[in-house]
Amino acid sequence: MRLKTIVGKEVLDEKGSILGKVTDVDIDTASNCVNSFIITPKSGNSITNTFSKKNEILVPFEMIKSIGDKIILKKAITEAESIVEELEMITY
């Protein structure tokens, strides 16, 4: 899948609620692997977590359940912190 097909896709949580759209992709250039998707929240959506910055939300790639016409998350965005902490413990 090409990155240009990812940008602009809607991101839905595990319940099917639209969170926003992908505006950028963070890639580890050393491994050529996707680290995370950066999404802009849907208007009126007040999603925040420790990965929020301005009007953007960083969604770790590990939270992605599937990518098709839309991107579906495995868990709620508010659960991202625990997933990232677990990965950091394994990685380091």
Side-chain angles (χ1 to χ4, degrees):
M1 180 172 281
R2 295 179 181 255
L3 290 179
K4 66 181 180 181
T5 63
I6 299 292
V7 174
K9 285 192 182 280
E10 285 186 319
V11 179
L12 284 66
D13 66 12
E14 78 286 5
K15 296 176 183 173
S17 299
I18 299 171
L19 302 176
K21 289 189 177 186
V22 176
T23 54
D24 205 352
V25 180
D26 177 37
I27 298 175
D28 179 346
T29 55
S31 65
N32 292 324
C33 292
V34 174
N35 286 332
S36 57
F37 293 153
I38 299 165
I39 67 169
T40 299
K42 177 181 160 186
S43 180
N45 197 337
S46 60
I47 302 168
T48 57
N49 65 19
T50 57
F51 307 106
S52 297
K53 183 175 118 176
K54 296 182 185 176
N55 290 331
E56 299 177 337
I57 299 171
L58 188 67
V59 178
F61 187 75
E62 291 77 14
M63 286 194 58
I64 306 299
K65 180 177 183 179
S66 65
I67 302 173
D69 291 338
K70 300 184 185 302
I71 296 173
I72 312 294
L73 301 183
K74 294 178 187 176
K75 298 186 180 219
I77 195 75
T78 54
E79 296 178 42
E81 286 180 33
S82 61
I83 291 172
V84 170
E85 286 174 6
E86 289 173 18
L87 290 170
E88 287 176 347
M89 290 174 63
I90 293 169
T91 307
Y92 300 107

